[in-house]
Amino acid sequence: MMANLTIGEPLIKCVDVTKTYIMGEQQVHALNKVSVDFIAGEMTAIMGPSGSGKSTLMNLLGALDTPTSGDLFIEGRNLSSLDVDELADLRNKTIGFVFQQFNLLNRATALTNVKLPLRYSREPVADIDARAIECLSMVGLSDRMNHRPMQLSGGQQQRVAIARALATRPAIILADEPTGALDSRTSIEIMELLVTLSKQGITVILVTHEEDVAEYAARKIYFRDGVIVADDRKMT
Amino acid sequence: MKLKLAISSAIEALLANVLRSFLTMLGIMIGVASVMAMMAISEGAAIQVDQQISALGASNLTVRPGASRRGGRHSGANSAPPFTDKQVQILQQEPYVTAISVRNSGAVTVVSGSDNWATQLYGTNVGYFETQSWGVTAGEIFTQRQISQSAAVVVIGKTVADTLFEGTNPLGQVIRAKNVPLRVIGVLEEKGQSSFGGDRDDIVIVPITTARNRILGAHKTTPKHVSSITISIADGYIMADVQNQLEDRLREIRRIKPGSADNFRVFNIADFVRARSSTQATMGVLLAFTAAVSLIVGGVGVMNIMLVSVTERTREIGLRMAVGARKGDILGQFLAEAILLCLIGGLIGSALGVGAAELAANVGGFPISISPMIAATALSAAIFIGLFFGYFPARRAAQLNPIEALRHE
Ligand SMILES: Nc1ncnc2c1ncn2[C@@H]1O[C@H](COP(=O)(O)OP(=O)(O)O)[C@@H](O)[C@H]1O
Ligand SMILES: [Mg+2]
């Protein structure tokens, strides 16, 4: 399904993306004419101080929000040309979002949580239970399928959230401070999981505050006051 | 929108908070129960009226001699002459007549062996059984020939048969009325209570000639008099028109000068019953209306709680959108929740309504009728209420912006 993507074109392309919030009299430029590309399969860490616009960018990349101006292209499609249903389908099929606060349904089991995106999928999945179980075992939770979030540790909850993000086999995983609510040992486990996914060809973009977490990524982008101030690729 | 998904998500949400779901549907339950009960009671009343009317003959007109209220002039009831066989024969020629019956009546005591019983005796023609749609369960009715012969035969009502013969076969037995021996040739079908409270089966019927000449003794006055005529009107005629035509014809036949008061009256007995029951029907409509209002109040309750629920679950809605739920999916889920609440409330309410109606029947003595139609109406009303009052909260949920919903505290 990368029909619109010509060879060499980036998977995600941002052109002069601006997001402005109006707070009373004041205008807050959360993002100020940001242009950046993400190449398929490359794991990227986005860093920068609090309030520098990292989450704003992630929400735009995840088609959860719309820019004030500028264009975003995912798999060659301009998001501003898509209607609300097409955006919903894009979030379902192409993007897996991982939140800092996990955002699991508390009354549902791990399995039911992972099945959620599959139930909204427009492309019928033959056996959604099998698919959800497969995703849970990918994150190492095949023995916790029928546990509810309250019965799981923070790290395990974030794994369930990652399994949910993987369920529809998306090309992109967006993780906004996925380790922000976890201790350092658990953080390492989650990062190793994301690296594994990246090696399987999924484009992982994550936000983090911590330099040692960012070390797992092939590319580091630094934000300050809504603009990119540095963009480093690891030499391999 | 995915229907199965909407329903399964709705069921999950409802099960997640059973107590609240139950409290939400309480209003609908009470509303549907009262709609059901009220409909059952007013339907029961309507059916009773219909039965009474058809027992009297829905398309019958009855003519009696008597003073008319027409023109504001009253002549004494007693001064009005009865009808005659001749007049009946003339009326029979009218195009709208399908059957015509005559009846003279009097109180008699009938005797069988050592038993006696005070009852009502009718002298009638053969047409009487036709206008009253009244047949026999045993034996037969008398014939035209027996009428011409003033035959001493009698057809008896069920009450009389039960009282005088207590299980033995009355056919062929002889009873005496005013010392005239009458052979029982038929037992009438049971008619039950009349709408005026009398026992319609407490009756003996003889040929009108036998009644006049041998029992009631009216021959002392006019040998051929008839005190009451009933006419069955053919299908396709309008009763009120026929009634006017009949009145005009009777004035001609009975030679009433223009400007003089009528000396007869034409009754449409069905109208009597309808008039008597119309207050009852109005009450029924009012009660059903009140019940419908309570259903709407229940619907508003559902809407309120659904709105609270949408606010409480804003983050969940945001998450569903983030993983790919379309607007229509969210709309469908919340609509399905509202409809399911109302449907389940409606089902429980229907059961309660049937119970309440049965109670009204057993304790209050109301006639009731519980038809599948009533249940279907009450349930569709509940579903409609769910759809109507669920739409606003569901739309509010569907219109949420994903990122704002996710940030909601
Ligand atoms: N919904 C909002 N309304 C108003 N201002 C916002 C909103 N979201 C973010 N901002 C502002 O935009 C800027 C960037 O925020 P954000 O992208 O969340 O930063 P980060 O994730 O890097 O900490 C901040 O100044 C923040 O206050
Ligand atoms: Mg942030």
Side-chain angles (χ1 to χ4, degrees):
Chain A
M1 281 302 289
M2 295 204 183
N4 296 321
L5 196 61
T6 49
I7 304 295
E9 197 175 331
L11 178 59
I12 302 172
K13 195 173 167 66
C14 302
V15 182
D16 289 339
V17 171
T18 299
K19 181 77 185 180
T20 309
Y21 293 107
I22 295 165
M23 303 290 285
E25 301 282 280
Q26 238 184 332
Q27 284 195 347
V28 179
H29 296 290
L31 288 178
N32 198 350
K33 285 185 175 285
V34 170
S35 295
V36 62
D37 295 346
F38 297 93
I39 299 156
E42 190 176 50
M43 183 163 172
T44 308
I46 296 178
M47 305 196 64
S50 191
S52 58
K54 307 182 294 293
S55 293
T56 304
L57 179 71
M58 293 296 270
N59 294 336
L60 292 175
L61 295 179
L64 293 169
D65 206 357
T66 48
T68 312
S69 68
D71 290 300
L72 284 112
F73 300 84
I74 293 181
E75 293 182 337
R77 294 204 291 173
N78 190 337
L79 297 197
S80 62
S81 71
L82 304 183
D83 65 25
V84 284
D85 283 348
E86 287 170 325
L87 287 173
D89 293 351
L90 180 84
R91 291 193 290 267
N92 182 256
K93 194 172 100 50
T94 310
I95 299 161
F97 215 107
V98 178
F99 305 90
Q100 181 178 356
Q101 296 305 329
F102 321 139
N103 275 337
L104 299 174
L105 298 179
N106 285 329
R107 284 186 285 262
T109 62
L111 187 66
T112 307
N113 269 291
V114 176
K115 273 158 61 176
L116 193 64
L118 295 169
R119 292 163 67 189
Y120 289 114
S121 173
R122 303 287 140 176
E123 287 166 20
V125 177
D127 186 343
I128 70 169
D129 278 279
R131 173 78 73 84
I133 291 167
E134 177 195 316
C135 293
L136 277 168
S137 50
M138 276 170 76
V139 301
L141 285 179
S142 39
D143 56 342
R144 295 283 191 282
M145 289 191 307
N146 294 315
H147 287 56
R148 284 167 210 281
M150 294 308 171
Q151 301 164 315
L152 297 170
S153 70
Q156 286 170 329
Q157 289 185 52
Q158 194 59 298
R159 284 164 188 273
V160 174
I162 292 171
R164 179 181 64 195
L166 290 170
T168 56
R169 300 193 173 142
I172 305 162
I173 294 271
L174 301 172
D176 192 353
E177 301 195 34
T179 61
L182 303 176
D183 61 53
S184 56
R185 202 177 62 86
T186 318
S187 297
I188 291 168
E189 285 170 19
I190 294 295
M191 285 314 297
E192 279 169 352
L193 177 59
L194 291 175
V195 170
T196 314
L197 298 176
S198 168
K199 283 186 179 145
Q200 290 169 7
I202 299 173
T203 306
V204 178
I205 303 173
L206 74 127
V207 171
T208 184
H209 278 299
E210 292 160 66
E211 199 63 51
D212 52 343
V213 167
E215 276 310 308
Y216 287 89
R219 180 187 181 192
K220 286 187 267 187
I221 296 176
Y222 293 87
F223 270 83
R224 183 180 297 273
D225 297 332
V227 294
I228 294 173
V229 291
D231 187 347
D232 303 334
R233 279 204 171 79
K234 240 183 219 171
M235 293 303 140
T236 44
Chain B
M1 191 184 79
K2 301 170 135 198
L3 188 63
K4 255 175 72 182
L5 173 61
I7 293 169
S8 62
S9 308
I11 291 172
E12 282 162 23
L14 295 183
L15 288 179
N17 203 331
V18 176
L19 179 65
R20 179 158 83 185
S21 301
F22 177 78
L23 292 176
T24 310
M25 62 176 77
L26 207 56
I28 292 291
M29 253 160 64
I30 294 168
V32 168
S34 40
V35 168
M36 281 278 290
M38 292 314 145
M39 282 173 68
I41 289 169
S42 56
E43 184 110 333
I47 287 177
Q48 196 187 44
V49 168
D50 282 350
Q51 281 169 349
Q52 287 172 355
I53 289 171
S54 70
L56 290 166
S59 55
N60 281 357
L61 290 177
T62 295
V63 192
R64 298 219 175 102
S68 169
R69 287 180 194 152
R70 239 202 225 176
R73 289 167 58 180
H74 296 264
S75 50
N78 297 333
S79 67
F83 303 102
T84 62
D85 284 351
K86 183 96 185 298
Q87 291 172 353
V88 173
Q89 273 160 24
I90 295 170
L91 283 180
Q92 198 156 17
Q93 307 308 315
E94 293 295 301
Y96 45 77
V97 174
T98 59
I100 190 160
S101 67
V102 294
R103 195 191 80 189
N104 289 0
S105 59
V108 293
T109 298
V110 288
V111 184
S112 162
S114 58
D115 291 332
N116 58 62
W117 181 250
T119 185
Q120 188 78 6
L121 179 135
Y122 286 174
T124 73
N125 63 350
V126 176
Y128 182 78
F129 300 94
E130 213 174 314
T131 60
Q132 305 303 309
S133 344
W134 207 352
V136 287
T137 51
E140 53 203 6
I141 61 169
F142 41 78
T143 60
Q144 195 57 49
R145 201 179 141 87
Q146 283 166 322
I147 292 178
S148 1
Q149 293 169 345
S150 305
V153 291
V154 65
V155 178
I156 60 176
K158 187 164 183 301
T159 305
V160 177
D162 289 350
T163 314
L164 292 184
F165 299 104
E166 287 175 330
T168 62
N169 185 3
L171 294 182
Q173 308 264 19
V174 172
I175 60 174
R176 294 170 164 274
K178 300 235 169 120
N179 265 332
V180 180
L182 299 163
R183 186 164 52 88
V184 177
I185 59 165
V187 178
L188 288 161
E189 287 166 0
E190 186 171 0
K191 280 242 174 182
Q193 278 211 330
S194 78
S195 56
F196 304 98
D199 178 2
R200 290 166 58 85
D201 300 311
D202 189 3
I203 193 85
V204 297
I205 303 180
V206 299
I208 188 163
T209 46
T210 314
R212 277 180 194 149
N213 302 336
R214 303 169 71 167
I215 305 170
L216 299 179
H219 61 284
K220 284 171 198 155
T221 53
T222 319
K224 298 195 171 189
H225 94 240
V226 169
S227 58
S228 164
I229 304 172
T230 296
I231 297 171
S232 290
I233 307 303
D235 287 345
Y237 284 90
I238 296 163
M239 290 298 273
D241 293 351
V242 173
Q243 190 165 345
N244 286 334
Q245 283 181 44
L246 180 61
E247 279 165 358
D248 291 347
R249 191 79 182 104
L250 280 162
R251 284 171 70 83
E252 258 174 62
I253 295 169
R254 286 164 74 83
R255 302 211 171 78
I256 295 166
K257 289 188 202 88
S260 310
D262 292 348
N263 57 9
F264 62 87
R265 286 184 66 187
V266 177
F267 301 88
N268 181 349
I269 293 182
D271 281 351
F272 267 42
V273 178
R274 279 195 202 99
R276 254 171 22 100
S277 58
S278 73
T279 35
Q280 212 176 330
T282 315
M283 273 301 285
V285 169
L286 267 175
L287 287 173
F289 181 75
T290 319
V293 169
S294 75
L295 196 56
I296 290 170
V297 171
V300 173
V302 168
M303 182 168 77
N304 276 333
I305 302 201
M306 292 288 297
L307 280 172
V308 171
S309 166
V310 167
T311 308
E312 272 184 11
R313 286 154 64 193
T314 300
R315 265 177 83 94
E316 177 197 320
I317 295 163
L319 172 77
R320 286 176 186 273
M321 289 175 159
V323 301
R326 290 185 182 179
K327 261 180 197 272
D329 292 327
I330 302 295
L331 186 80
Q333 176 184 335
F334 280 87
L335 265 187
E337 272 183 45
I339 292 172
L340 266 175
L341 274 174
C342 291
L343 186 63
I344 298 167
L347 284 170
I348 302 175
S350 298
L352 291 178
V354 170
E358 297 280 1
L359 201 70
N362 293 336
V363 179
F366 289 92
I368 60 161
S369 158
I370 299 161
S371 60
M373 256 309 287
I374 291 179
T377 309
L379 279 183
S380 358
I383 292 172
F384 176 77
I385 292 273
L387 199 64
F388 186 83
F389 288 101
Y391 181 72
F392 180 56
R395 207 185 62 135
R396 175 176 280 199
Q399 306 246 298
L400 285 171
N401 166 295
I403 191 65
E404 279 167 20
L406 273 169
R407 272 200 290 247
H408 191 264
E409 286 310 314

